[in-house]
């Protein structure tokens, strides 16, 4: 029995947006933690740590997110964790986000002139103190616009979680399509919802970038 | 952890993997060429065309850049047949990815074109070059050099993103993985191997783009 595509379907799709948002937030927190570690390793004085972080970023950025998702999904059973989509999704997005955020934040850290580090060290500050009191406060200003830009990428890429059965916007659209046979309506509404989530962030990122360029 | 990874069955299906690599390369090459062309045309249009056309191109770029590729693919493959526009999976993938890459390239090319100082353009006209000549030699060539790294990374991201085509049954590298997985049940191993293959492709693309850069802009 095929239902009509009605308002109830629209409401369900809108409601599914909360899972997209929740997934984005989780991915941003997980990816942020990994990203901070990677960015700091990349500017640290110990060469093997720099190499490790470099390799991590290169490998993750050279692998499709889809492959990461499937690796984590099927890898869960191997390490004895329960095979639940949300665990795989959270892990895969943390790894993925960590590589991109790590690279963005490394760029921001390295945008600060070397003389600032040297001044800090001349004042007798340790590496972590230089980072904490001198470099990071200045780097944050540089880092915010591209970070917001990546957040948009993250929101869009959470759609891939649908492929391993995590119910968010895109998966909900697939389910709606399966019961109403109205793929165009379902996917267009979902596209519009993604647009409403992403476009303000895109504009904000652009605005912040302009502000920094004026200030600099 | 008592599980032992076994790759034998995966490598025994190397023909699927090879076929997948070929399809992924073929898909990416077409999309990169046409996506880049759309980027140049739309970027030029976004700067030099009249107001209406500028707004249309702006709308195109924003609509594409703020929605997921997967949803765009589903709209083209599952949604458009409702209006009588029916494509086979590969065509739908090529169309979607080209339109998608076109929007991203537009932004990159536009930024490159706008980075050319006005005085340089005026100098071109002062030398008696025509409008198209100025665009070709004074604006596009030096701008290309500047935007090449950004374009190259966008192209590599696109190549990786073509894995999404597997979701509408295009026989690409990722699809090969699902076939081998369903035949051998070596799921983790399959995706590990495919991940390494994608990584190798990304590396090959990076080297190729570096060579192209050297050939095109190295001497100057």
């Amino acid at each position: 029995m095929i239902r009509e595509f009605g308002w109830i379907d629209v409401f369900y799709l809108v409601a599914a947006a909360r899972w997209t948002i929740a997934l984005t937030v989780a991915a941003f927190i997980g990816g942020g933690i990994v990203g901070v570690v990677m960015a700091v390793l990349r500017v640290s004085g110990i060469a093997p740590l720099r190499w490790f972080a470099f390799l991590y970023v290169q490998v993750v950025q050279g692998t499709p997110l889809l492959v990461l998702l499937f690796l984590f999904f099927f890898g869960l059973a191997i390490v004895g964790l329960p095979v639940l989509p949300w665990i795989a999704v959270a892990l895969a997005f943390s790894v993925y986000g960590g590589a991109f955020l790590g690279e963005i934040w490394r760029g921001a850290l390295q945008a600060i002139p070397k003389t600032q580090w040297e001044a800090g060290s001349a004042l007798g500050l340790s590496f972590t103190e230089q980072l904490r009191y001198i470099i990071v406060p200045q780097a944050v200003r540089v880092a915010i616009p591209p970070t917001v830009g990546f957040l948009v990428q993250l929101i869009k890429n959470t759609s891939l979680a649908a492929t391993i059965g995590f119910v968010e916007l895109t998966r909900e659209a697939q389910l709606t399509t399966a019961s109403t046979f109205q793929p165009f309506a379902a996917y267009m509404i979902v596209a519009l919802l993604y647009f409403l989530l992403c476009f303000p962030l895109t504009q904000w990122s652009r605005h912040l970038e302009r502000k920094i360029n004026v200030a600099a | 952890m008592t599980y032992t990874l076994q790759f034998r069955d995966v490598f025994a299906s190397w023909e699927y993997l090879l076929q997948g690599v070929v399809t992924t390369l073929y898909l990416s090459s077409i999309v990169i060429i046409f996506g880049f062309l759309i980027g140049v045309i739309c970027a030029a249009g976004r700067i030099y065309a009249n107001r209406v056309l500028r707004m249309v191109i702006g709308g195109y770029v924003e609509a594409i850049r703020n929605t997921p590729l997967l949803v765009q693919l589903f709209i083209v493959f599952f949604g458009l047949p409702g209006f009588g526009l029916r494509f086979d999976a590969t065509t739908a993938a090529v169309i979607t990815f080209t339109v998608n890459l076109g929007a991203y390239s537009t932004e990159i090319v536009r930024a490159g074109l706008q980075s050319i100082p006005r005085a340089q353009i005026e100098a071109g006209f002062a030398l008696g070059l025509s409008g198209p000549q100025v665009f070709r030699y004074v604006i596009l060539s030096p701008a290309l050099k500047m935007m090449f790294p950004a374009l190259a990374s966008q192209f590599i991201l696109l190549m990786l993103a073509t894995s999404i085509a597997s979701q509408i049954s295009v026989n690409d590298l990722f699809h090969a993985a699902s076939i081998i997985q369903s035949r051998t049940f070596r799921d983790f191993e399959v995706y590990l191997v495919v991940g390494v293959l994608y990584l190798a492709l990304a590396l090959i693309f990076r080297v190729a783009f570096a060579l192209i850069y050297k050939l095109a802009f190295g001497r100057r």
Side-chain angles (χ1 to χ4, degrees), chain B residues 148-199:
Chain B
F148 196 88
L151 276 175
S153 25
Q154 192 63 50
F155 292 163
I156 293 172
L157 281 179
L158 180 275
M159 185 275 288
L160 297 174
T162 57
S163 58
I164 291 174
S166 62
Q167 300 305 313
I168 57 164
S169 78
V170 174
N171 279 317
D172 75 329
L173 182 52
F174 196 85
H175 193 252
S178 349
I179 293 175
I180 300 172
Q181 179 209 0
S182 57
R183 291 183 157 213
T184 64
F185 295 105
R186 293 278 163 219
D187 32 50
F188 188 76
E189 291 89 332
V190 174
Y191 290 108
L192 206 58
V193 169
V194 166
V196 171
L197 285 174
Y198 271 111
L199 200 57

Side-chain angles (χ1 to χ4, degrees), chain A residues 58 61 74 156 183 202 206, chain B residues 62 65-66 104 181 206:
Chain A
Q58 293 301 314
Q61 290 196 345
F74 291 114
K156 290 186 295 172
T202 310
R206 213 167 278 167
Chain B
E62 292 304 332
R65 293 194 354 138
N66 287 296
Y104 282 90
Q181 179 209 0
R206 194 163 301 170

Side-chain angles (χ1 to χ4, degrees), chain A residues 3-25:
Chain A
R3 292 190 290 113
E4 287 287 306
F5 187 92
W7 280 108
I8 187 75
D9 296 294
V10 179
F11 289 137
Y12 264 103
L13 289 172
V14 172
R18 66 173 189 254
W19 292 111
T20 291
I21 294 170
L23 182 52
T24 306
V25 170

Side-chain angles (χ1 to χ4, degrees), chain B residues 106-168:
Chain B
T106 300
E107 275 302 281
I108 297 173
V109 177
R110 185 182 61 94
L113 294 181
Q114 285 182 333
S115 70
I116 304 297
R118 184 163 288 276
Q120 191 168 317
I121 301 168
E122 286 162 0
F125 281 116
L127 286 172
L129 299 179
S130 67
Q133 279 176 327
V134 167
F135 181 71
R136 163 80 182 75
Y137 297 105
V138 182
I139 301 175
L140 191 57
S141 286
L144 265 179
K145 183 176 177 178
M146 241 179 297
M147 59 197 161
F148 196 88
L151 276 175
S153 25
Q154 192 63 50
F155 292 163
I156 293 172
L157 281 179
L158 180 275
M159 185 275 288
L160 297 174
T162 57
S163 58
I164 291 174
S166 62
Q167 300 305 313
I168 57 164

Side-chain angles (χ1 to χ4, degrees), chain A residues 127-201:
Chain A
F127 173 76
T128 38
E129 283 168 342
Q130 290 168 32
L131 207 57
R132 164 76 184 79
Y133 295 108
I134 299 177
I135 306 303
V136 170
Q138 302 181 69
V140 163
R141 232 170 46 104
V142 187
I144 287 179
T147 304
V148 175
F150 178 71
L151 201 56
V152 175
Q153 298 293 327
L154 206 54
I155 294 176
K156 290 186 295 172
N157 281 332
T158 56
S159 63
L160 294 189
T163 59
I164 56 168
F166 184 92
V167 181
E168 35 64 77
L169 265 177
T170 306
R171 184 78 192 130
E172 188 65 45
Q174 286 178 324
L175 298 174
T176 306
T177 299
S179 56
T180 63
F181 279 87
Q182 294 289 335
F184 188 77
Y187 290 123
M188 277 311 256
I189 288 170
V190 161
L192 183 70
L193 290 172
Y194 276 111
F195 187 84
L196 292 177
L197 288 176
C198 294
F199 189 63
L201 287 174

Side-chain angles (χ1 to χ4, degrees), chain A residues 102-138:
Chain A
E103 197 63 1
I104 291 170
W105 294 342
R106 172 193 67 90
L109 291 178
Q110 289 182 338
I112 308 305
K114 222 180 168 59
T115 47
Q116 295 282 326
W117 290 92
E118 289 163 1
S121 123
L123 288 171
L125 301 179
S126 69
F127 173 76
T128 38
E129 283 168 342
Q130 290 168 32
L131 207 57
R132 164 76 184 79
Y133 295 108
I134 299 177
I135 306 303
V136 170
Q138 302 181 69

